Amino acid sequence: MNGLDQEQLALLKSMLEQRRDALSGAFDPDHPGVHDLAVEEVETSPADKATVRLLNDLAQEAADHNVAQMAVVRHALSKIVDGSYGECEECGNPIGFSRLQARPEARLCIGCQTRAEKSR
């Protein structure tokens, strides 16, 4: 499987599962997290209202980020199941183990990732 041995694959899968579980905790209503950050508006000065809106916007942004990260992690885990994990989605070459250790959800090899970032 793309130059990864079973031990490496097991390590990366474990890392992804831990990340998935951590993100799942953010969605658990009994788990303290982003939902606790929402601030209710009260009758106060305009500056206080702006601060409340900003805090709520930041909480929503964090929640949206968690949802996006969960989708990326689930995608990587599904690739392990279908046998395509560790292949660059752009060129099909293997993604290096060191890159996958740093970012187990990586979809692109370092060359394709570099080109994608330069073209932005």
Side-chain angles (χ1 to χ4, degrees):
M1 180 182 287
N2 309 321
L4 298 173
D5 62 35
Q6 291 301 322
E7 188 174 306
Q8 291 171 329
L9 186 60
L11 171 68
L12 295 167
K13 182 178 180 184
S14 173
M15 291 170 68
L16 286 165
E17 288 170 340
Q18 288 175 9
R19 180 73 175 136
R20 179 197 60 205
D21 294 345
L23 289 168
S24 293
F27 300 118
D28 182 357
D30 297 329
H31 184 272
V34 173
H35 306 293
D36 297 334
L37 296 177
V39 178
E40 291 186 33
E41 286 194 44
V42 294
E43 288 298 318
T44 58
S45 73
D48 288 341
K49 288 181 183 181
T51 300
V52 167
R53 277 189 241 112
L54 174 64
L55 290 172
N56 287 334
D57 288 347
L58 290 172
Q60 184 61 49
E61 187 176 325
D64 293 346
H65 178 75
N66 284 349
V67 169
Q69 285 298 303
M70 179 65 86
V72 168
V73 169
R74 285 184 176 154
H75 177 74
L77 287 168
S78 72
K79 290 180 67 145
I80 290 174
V81 171
D82 74 19
S84 64
Y85 181 75
E87 286 179 8
C88 176
E89 292 181 3
E90 186 73 27
C91 68
N93 289 328
I95 300 172
F97 179 64
S98 58
R99 174 159 169 72
L100 290 170
Q101 275 186 298
R103 297 199 50 109
E105 72 282 2
R107 296 174 135 181
L108 303 175
C109 67
I110 197 71
C112 290
Q113 183 67 42
T114 301
R115 281 190 295 281
E117 288 175 3
K118 284 183 179 178
S119 68
R120 288 186 198 162

